[in-house]
């Protein structure tokens, strides 16, 4: 129902065609005419009227809706200044601009209208003058109807995404995100197949591995206690199942898979660059200049706009670096706290009267530590965003893109440290800095650091990664979809109850406006959240993938669901995103390339340090039975477990070590995992032999992998020849036309 009160912008309402479509909807709470909020609201709407915007006011219950439509000359200026940037878009309207460009232009003007910063729309929303502002969904006709049929349903889960229609509805930036996500998902399929094959190879040899057989039959090999407080000696055969599980992902195929994933990451990014170049060329955005478009919008909004120049302050940059370094130090401190938790909880579990828990204390500690790590990730994600926002505001970037890039780098850095700091400890420090019996490294002089299992530390890394990745993908997807779903349902129910007692708007448009108002709010970084989630997943898929070959398979399955869930969420549960023009995925490409380089380094270190691949190789060709003779019947790894265990005299235990002798009595020697002399416990010759081989492997692996990456990057050009030729042809035609104009003017 239309408001009868007088307003400064009231005159145009009587000539307004109510059947026309509206570019944006503003919503405010119903307030008295003499309130401060109403005064600010009138001033803002008057400023829009001065720019010849047409406004329709509809009262609906406790809300007041303002339909806003921009004058045609604004879009004519946009087309003229930028030489018809939407000439290839099928969704152009009568103003020769696409619907997405129209929404983007109106959004820019709405949020930059006002004589001062305090009078602009974002500040007015903060003050409660307006409740929200949003463009309308339109899924019943045109490109929206096509999206309903081709994209927003589960039947098309395995079909190619309609990127053209996504672009026509959400704009280029969202279209590029889904194009990248679809390409990433397709490329995950071969990686998932190879990773599954490596895992199945280990499964086939689950019980036949020589190392597993030796551990399972080592009933007489007495191991040193795992803690200081009344822990008993224990037979090595107790860890039979643990050893078999380790062979699932620490086998002969691990090195091949790590090398394959290094090549895969390079090929994926190079092929994506080519696909991105094709899309940008088809959309006539290959040479698009974002800075030029921003200046055009500023001048369209205000012809007297004063140009803001780029500025740089070394003092401000230094303070920001100190802030980032401090935050990283805090996150690393949290990782140290998780280590302390695992050390303490291991002792608690070992003292438990529940036999199953006491016998599996190490595994239980790793699992509980992984769950606690996931909880810290959830908490620190919110804190990381707050800190990153504060640092970005302090940095004062000039443009929205500069702010987005700065925010992206900071949030990703903090999130990466949050997710992976604990994993780096498990991969490269667990069991290597804990000392040895008689000389253990202790926290606060009391609690011993953790030790690795006799079959290797890689199982701990596998457990940590699998728990975090599975929890993150399942719970995050549930929260990401169910949260807006429940909010939408609750708001709808609340609105229905309110309408029983409230006045309802009678205009034909109000149902659509009300429905869009009920949808969940979006913000300028809503798409950033989607990118961040996928790039963190990409990091899990490439970094430490040698310890978790099923990571690509889990990511592939998750992404098939993620695409459709995101589609449904963006169209049916959230308000329409403000479209943004783009010709690439921005700084995320540099982030992905950095992750790819780091993946090569970490996977090389995982194989050399975390895995037992190098010690097994050295034993096989330097110390095993095959170095002397091989009659075809002896496995070359026979005796490896005994060779990898050192001997400790129990009389040399520290006073802090109190051993429970309930199972074993009169034990004079016990075994522990290390390469040390039984006399003075110094490193043995085998240790230095393995150390040199590990160092050599890391150098060779990383150089070979980097060379493969460079060769692949050279072999697959970033820009297809067809795109280059098309750009060259367009330049040629343009220059010929200009030359013709010059010759014609000269002749005249």
């Amino acid at each position: 129902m239309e408001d009868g009160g007088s307003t400064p912008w009231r005159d145009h309402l009587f000539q307004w065609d109510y059947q026309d479509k509206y570019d944006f909807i503003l919503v405010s709470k119903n307030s008295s005419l003499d309130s401060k909020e109403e005064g600010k609201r009138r001033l803002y709407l008057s400023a829009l009227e001065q720019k010849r915007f047409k406004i329709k006011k509809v009262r609906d219950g406790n809300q007041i809706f303002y339909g806003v439509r921009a004058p045609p000359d604004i879009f004519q200026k946009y087309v003229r200044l930028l030489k018809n940037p939407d000439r290839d878009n099928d969704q152009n309207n009568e103003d020769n601009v696409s619907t997405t460009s129209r929404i983007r232009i109106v959004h820019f003007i709405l949020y930059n209208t006002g004589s001062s910063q305090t009078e602009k729309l974002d500040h007015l929303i903060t003050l409660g003058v307006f409740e929200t502002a949003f463009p309308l969904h339109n899924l019943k006709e045109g490109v929206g109807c096509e999206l309903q049929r081709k994209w927003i349903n589960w039947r098309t889960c395995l079909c190619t995404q309609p990127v053209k229609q996504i672009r026509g509805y959400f704009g280029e930036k969202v279209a590029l995100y889904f194009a990248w996500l679809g390409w990433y998902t397709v490329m995950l399929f071969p990686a998932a197949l190879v990773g599954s094959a490596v895992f199945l190879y280990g499964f086939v040899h689950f019980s036949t591995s020589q190392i597993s057989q030796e551990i399972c039959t080592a009933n007489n090999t007495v191991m040193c206690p795992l803690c200081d407080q009344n822990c008993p000696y224990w037979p090595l055969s107790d860890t039979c199942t643990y050893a078999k599980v380790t062979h699932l992902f620490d086998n002969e195929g691990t090195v091949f898979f790590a090398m394959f994933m290094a090549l895969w990451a390079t090929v994926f990014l190079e092929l994506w660059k080519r696909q991105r170049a094709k899309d940008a060329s088809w959309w006539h955005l290959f040479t698009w200049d974002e800075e030029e478009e921003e200046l055009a919008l500023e001048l369209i909004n205000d012809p007297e706009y004063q140009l803001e120049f780029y500025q740089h302050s070394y003092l401000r940059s230094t303070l920001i670096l100190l802030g980032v370094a401090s935050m990283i130090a805090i996150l690393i401190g949290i990782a140290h706290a998780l280590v302390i938790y695992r050390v303490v909880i291991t002792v608690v579990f070992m003292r438990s009267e529940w036999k199953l828990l006491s016998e599996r204390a190490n595994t239980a500690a790793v699992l509980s530590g992984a769950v606690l790590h996931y909880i810290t990730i959830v908490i620190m994600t919110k804190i990381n965003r707050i800190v990153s926002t504060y640092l970005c505001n302090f940095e004062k970037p000039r443009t929205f893109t500069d702010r987005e890039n700065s925010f992206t780098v900071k949030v990703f850095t903090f999130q990466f440290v949050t997710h992976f700091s604990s994993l780096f400890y498990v991969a490269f420090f667990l069991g290597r800095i804990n000392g040895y019996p008689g000389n253990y490294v202790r926290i606060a002089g009391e609690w011993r650091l953790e030790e690795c299992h006799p079959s290797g530390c890689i199982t701990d890394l596998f457990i940590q990664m699998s728990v975090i990745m599975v929890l993150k993908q399942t719970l995050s997807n549930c929260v990401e979809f169910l949260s807006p779903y429940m909010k939408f349902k609750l708001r709808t129910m609340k609105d229905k109850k309110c309408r029983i007692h409230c006045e309802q708007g009678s205009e034909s448009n109000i149902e659509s406006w009300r429905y869009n108002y009920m949808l969940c709010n979006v913000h300028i970084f809503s798409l950033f959240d989607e990118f961040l989630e996928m790039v963190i997943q990409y990091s899990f898929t490439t970094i430490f993938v040698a310890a978790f070959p099923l990571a690509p398979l889990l990511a592939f399955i998750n992404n098939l669901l993620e695409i459709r869930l995101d589609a449904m969420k963006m169209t049916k549960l959230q308000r329409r995103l403000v479209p943004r023009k783009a010709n690439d995925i921005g700084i995320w490409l540099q982030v992905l390339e950095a992750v790819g380089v780091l993946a090569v380094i970490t996977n090389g270190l995982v194989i050399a340090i975390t895995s037992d691949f190098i010690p097994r190789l050295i034993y096989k060709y330097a110390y095993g039975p095959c170095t002397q003779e091989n009659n075809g019947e002896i496995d070359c790894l026979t005796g490896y477990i005994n060779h990898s265990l050192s001997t400790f005299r129990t009389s040399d235990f520290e006073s802090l070590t109190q051993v429970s002798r309930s199972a074993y009595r009169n034990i004079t020697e016990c075994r522990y995992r290390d390469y040390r002399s039984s006399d003075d416990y110094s490193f043995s010759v085998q240790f230095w032999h393995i150390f040199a081989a590990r160092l050599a492997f890391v150098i060779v692996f990383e150089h070979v992998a980097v060379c493969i990456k460079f060769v692949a990057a050279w072999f697959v050009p970033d820009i297809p020849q067809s795109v280059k030729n098309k750009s060259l042809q367009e330049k040629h035609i343009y220059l010929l036309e200009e030359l013709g104009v010059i010759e014609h003017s000269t002749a005249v």
Side-chain angles (χ1 to χ4, degrees):
M1 167 172 141
E2 198 163 317
D3 185 28
S6 60
T7 63
W9 40 269
R10 180 75 182 166
D11 296 337
H12 288 288
L13 294 183
F14 296 105
Q15 294 117 23
W16 179 245
D17 182 0
Y18 292 139
Q19 299 305 314
D20 284 351
K21 296 181 180 179
Y22 299 89
D23 300 313
F24 242 81
I25 305 299
L26 303 177
V27 184
S28 69
K29 294 287 187 182
N30 195 3
S31 58
S32 61
L33 295 177
D34 58 348
S35 66
K36 184 185 298 185
E37 289 79 9
E38 181 66 22
K40 290 181 178 292
R41 197 153 46 237
R42 290 182 180 183
L43 288 175
Y44 177 79
L45 295 172
S46 296
L48 290 181
E49 276 289 303
Q50 292 174 8
K51 296 180 179 180
R52 293 187 295 109
F53 274 70
K54 292 188 177 180
I55 305 170
K56 177 181 179 181
K57 180 180 180 181
V58 178
R59 191 184 307 275
D60 184 64
N62 293 325
Q63 278 76 38
I64 300 176
F65 292 85
Y66 300 89
V68 177
R69 183 175 175 85
D73 64 293
I74 285 179
F75 309 109
Q76 294 167 4
K77 292 177 183 177
Y78 176 80
V79 171
R80 190 70 179 269
L81 288 174
L82 297 177
K83 299 177 182 179
N84 195 9
D86 294 334
R87 59 187 178 276
D88 68 308
N89 199 311
D90 298 335
Q91 307 303 319
N92 290 0
N93 53 35
E94 66 276 8
D95 298 314
N96 208 28
V97 295
S98 64
T99 303
T100 54
S101 290
R102 187 181 182 98
I103 294 173
R104 183 174 65 257
I105 294 167
V106 174
H107 171 267
F108 183 89
I109 295 175
L110 289 179
Y111 277 81
N112 287 275
T113 294
S115 58
S116 66
Q117 194 66 34
T118 57
E119 294 179 1
K120 292 184 178 179
L121 183 56
D122 53 354
H123 185 71
L124 295 178
I125 292 175
T126 303
L127 294 177
V129 176
F130 289 101
E131 187 178 346
T132 186
F134 53 85
L136 294 171
H137 276 294
N138 183 14
L139 297 172
K140 296 182 179 180
E141 58 184 26
V143 67
C145 185
E146 292 185 55
L147 286 181
Q148 287 268 38
R149 179 170 51 87
K150 297 180 180 179
W151 194 44
I152 316 171
N153 61 74
W154 291 108
R155 290 175 295 178
T156 59
C157 186
L158 300 177
C159 299
T160 304
Q161 295 185 87
V163 176
K164 181 180 179 181
Q165 285 76 17
I166 297 173
R167 181 208 175 197
Y169 192 83
F170 286 111
E172 289 80 5
K173 197 171 186 68
V174 174
L176 281 170
Y177 164 72
F178 281 103
W180 174 83
L181 180 55
W183 186 255
Y184 170 45
T185 304
V186 169
M187 290 294 291
L188 276 173
F189 184 70
L193 288 179
V194 177
S196 300
V198 171
F199 183 82
L200 289 175
Y201 174 83
F203 184 79
V204 170
H205 298 83
F206 184 76
S207 299
T208 59
S209 166
Q210 177 64 30
I211 296 175
S212 300
Q213 290 179 354
E214 288 191 5
I215 291 178
C216 292
T217 57
N219 298 311
N220 297 322
T221 302
V222 179
M223 303 297 293
C224 295
L226 295 174
C227 70
D228 290 330
Q229 292 79 22
N230 296 319
C231 284
Y233 298 108
W234 53 281
L236 180 59
S237 58
D238 283 356
T239 59
C240 175
T241 303
Y242 203 95
K244 290 180 179 179
V245 171
T246 299
H247 191 70
L248 290 175
F249 34 83
D250 187 10
N251 53 60
E252 291 77 4
T254 304
V255 177
F256 164 76
F257 185 57
M259 189 70 75
F260 170 83
M261 289 303 295
L263 177 62
W264 175 88
T266 302
V267 172
F268 159 65
L269 289 179
E270 293 303 319
L271 292 179
W272 161 249
K273 291 176 186 177
R274 290 174 62 85
Q275 183 61 38
R276 191 281 312 176
K278 290 180 181 178
D279 290 338
S281 177
W282 293 337
W283 301 341
H284 293 279
L285 293 175
F286 190 69
T287 58
W288 171 75
D289 188 348
E290 185 172 10
E291 191 174 74
E292 183 183 12
E293 169 145 332
E294 180 196 345
L295 288 174
L297 292 177
E298 290 283 6
L299 291 172
I300 291 171
N301 178 54
D302 181 10
E304 299 179 359
Y305 166 72
Q306 296 296 319
L307 186 64
E308 295 181 15
F309 293 98
Y310 288 101
Q311 297 180 355
H312 181 265
S313 169
Y314 287 102
L315 176 61
R316 183 179 287 113
S317 299
T318 302
L319 293 175
I320 290 171
L321 283 176
L322 290 175
V324 171
S326 301
M327 189 64 189
I328 291 175
I330 292 172
L331 295 174
I332 293 175
I334 293 174
H336 288 169
L338 291 173
V339 172
I340 296 173
Y341 165 81
R342 287 175 48 161
V343 169
V344 174
I345 204 66
T346 300
V347 176
V348 173
F349 286 163
M350 284 183 173
R351 293 176 176 177
S352 174
E353 296 180 356
W354 188 16
K355 186 177 180 181
L356 179 63
L357 183 60
S358 61
E359 290 178 351
R360 300 286 184 269
N362 279 334
T363 305
V366 171
L367 282 171
S368 63
V371 174
L372 183 60
H373 185 194
Y374 174 76
I375 295 173
T376 61
I377 289 173
V378 174
I379 296 172
M380 292 308 299
T381 295
K382 299 183 181 299
I383 298 176
N384 291 341
R385 293 177 70 92
I386 295 173
V387 174
S388 299
T389 302
Y390 176 80
L391 291 175
C392 279
N393 292 335
F394 181 74
E395 189 175 1
K396 296 181 179 179
R398 178 186 172 276
T399 65
F400 175 81
T401 300
D402 293 338
R403 173 178 291 275
E404 187 178 43
N405 290 344
S406 175
F407 185 76
T408 297
V409 171
K410 292 177 178 62
V411 171
F412 178 79
T413 301
F414 296 154
Q415 286 294 90
F416 184 87
V417 176
T418 303
H419 282 80
F420 288 94
S421 56
S422 182
L423 295 177
F424 272 94
Y425 166 77
V426 173
F428 305 128
F429 298 99
L430 177 63
R432 292 170 184 83
I433 58 174
N434 62 311
Y436 57 90
N439 189 29
Y440 283 118
V441 175
R442 289 180 168 82
I443 297 175
E446 183 174 355
W447 294 293
R448 276 168 44 184
L449 291 179
E450 302 166 276
E451 297 181 37
C452 281
H453 185 269
S455 60
C457 289
I458 201 167
T459 303
D460 294 329
L461 182 58
F462 166 76
I463 293 173
Q464 190 91 354
M465 281 194 65
S466 58
V467 170
I468 294 174
M469 192 169 181
V470 170
L471 283 177
K472 183 169 179 58
Q473 293 193 159
T474 54
L475 295 183
S476 296
N477 273 344
C478 289
V479 172
E480 184 182 341
F481 184 79
L482 291 178
S483 177
Y485 177 80
M486 295 303 297
K487 287 180 181 178
F488 174 64
K489 291 298 182 184
L490 289 174
R491 293 186 72 175
T492 305
M493 292 171 58
K494 184 179 179 181
D495 180 70
K496 287 181 179 179
K497 292 180 180 179
C498 178
R499 298 207 170 277
I500 298 175
H501 308 288
C502 296
E503 178 187 13
Q504 299 185 32
S506 59
E507 298 292 340
S508 59
N509 295 309
I510 194 61
E511 288 298 329
S512 172
W513 296 4
R514 186 189 302 135
Y515 172 80
N516 280 266
Y517 171 72
M518 293 300 161
L519 296 175
C520 293
N521 192 22
V522 293
H523 51 81
I524 57 175
F525 289 123
S526 291
L527 191 63
F528 166 85
D529 296 333
E530 306 297 338
F531 258 121
L532 179 64
E533 179 187 359
M534 287 295 103
V535 174
I536 290 293
Q537 186 210 78
Y538 176 81
S539 303
F540 273 104
T541 306
T542 51
I543 300 175
F544 300 124
V545 73
F548 191 23
L550 293 180
L553 177 63
L554 293 179
F556 176 75
I557 296 172
N558 174 80
N559 289 1
L560 289 178
L561 303 175
E562 177 81 17
I563 291 173
R564 302 304 155 184
L565 289 175
D566 282 350
M568 295 176 185
K569 180 181 67 176
M570 287 184 176
T571 54
K572 296 186 175 182
L573 299 177
Q574 291 181 339
R575 294 170 188 161
R576 189 171 183 173
L577 282 169
V578 174
R580 288 190 58 202
K581 200 177 282 289
N583 59 6
D584 59 26
I585 59 174
I587 202 170
W588 288 114
L589 183 61
Q590 286 75 35
V591 172
L592 292 170
E593 289 177 335
V595 170
V597 173
L598 184 60
V600 172
I601 299 171
T602 53
N603 281 299
L605 292 173
V606 165
I607 295 171
I609 298 175
T610 314
S611 168
D612 269 9
F613 172 77
I614 299 299
R616 290 198 301 261
L617 203 64
I618 295 299
Y619 178 80
K620 188 174 183 178
Y621 294 106
Y623 300 102
C626 294
T627 58
Q628 301 174 358
E629 60 176 321
N630 187 1
N631 54 15
E633 297 179 358
I634 301 177
D635 191 299
C636 292
L637 289 176
T638 300
Y640 169 76
I641 290 298
N642 184 64
H643 179 265
S644 65
L645 299 176
S646 297
T647 302
F648 178 76
R649 297 184 297 273
T650 57
S651 57
D652 294 335
F653 270 128
E654 299 169 285
S655 58
L656 288 173
T657 305
Q658 304 295 325
V659 183
S660 172
R661 303 182 184 274
S662 57
Y664 293 91
R665 300 179 183 277
N666 302 321
I667 298 296
T668 58
E669 292 181 345
C670 61
R671 311 295 298 275
Y672 63 99
R673 178 186 166 85
D674 210 340
Y675 292 93
R676 292 183 180 272
S677 167
S678 58
D679 298 325
D680 58 357
Y681 306 121
S682 61
F683 289 122
S684 63
V685 175
Q686 291 90 335
F687 171 85
W688 295 110
H689 193 172
I690 293 172
F691 179 81
R694 281 175 163 162
L695 183 60
F697 175 84
V698 170
I699 295 173
V700 172
F701 177 88
E702 292 182 0
H703 278 73
V704 170
V706 169
C707 287
I708 291 174
K709 284 175 67 68
F710 279 124
V711 170
W714 167 81
F715 188 76
V716 183
D718 292 354
I719 303 174
Q721 297 300 318
S722 60
V723 174
K724 290 183 178 179
N725 291 334
K726 181 181 178 182
S727 177
L728 186 64
Q729 187 179 22
E730 289 176 350
K731 292 176 182 177
H732 180 254
I733 294 172
Y734 171 76
L735 291 175
L736 280 177
E737 291 176 350
E738 291 297 315
L739 183 61
V741 172
I742 294 172
E743 291 178 348
H744 178 72
S745 62
T746 304
V748 173

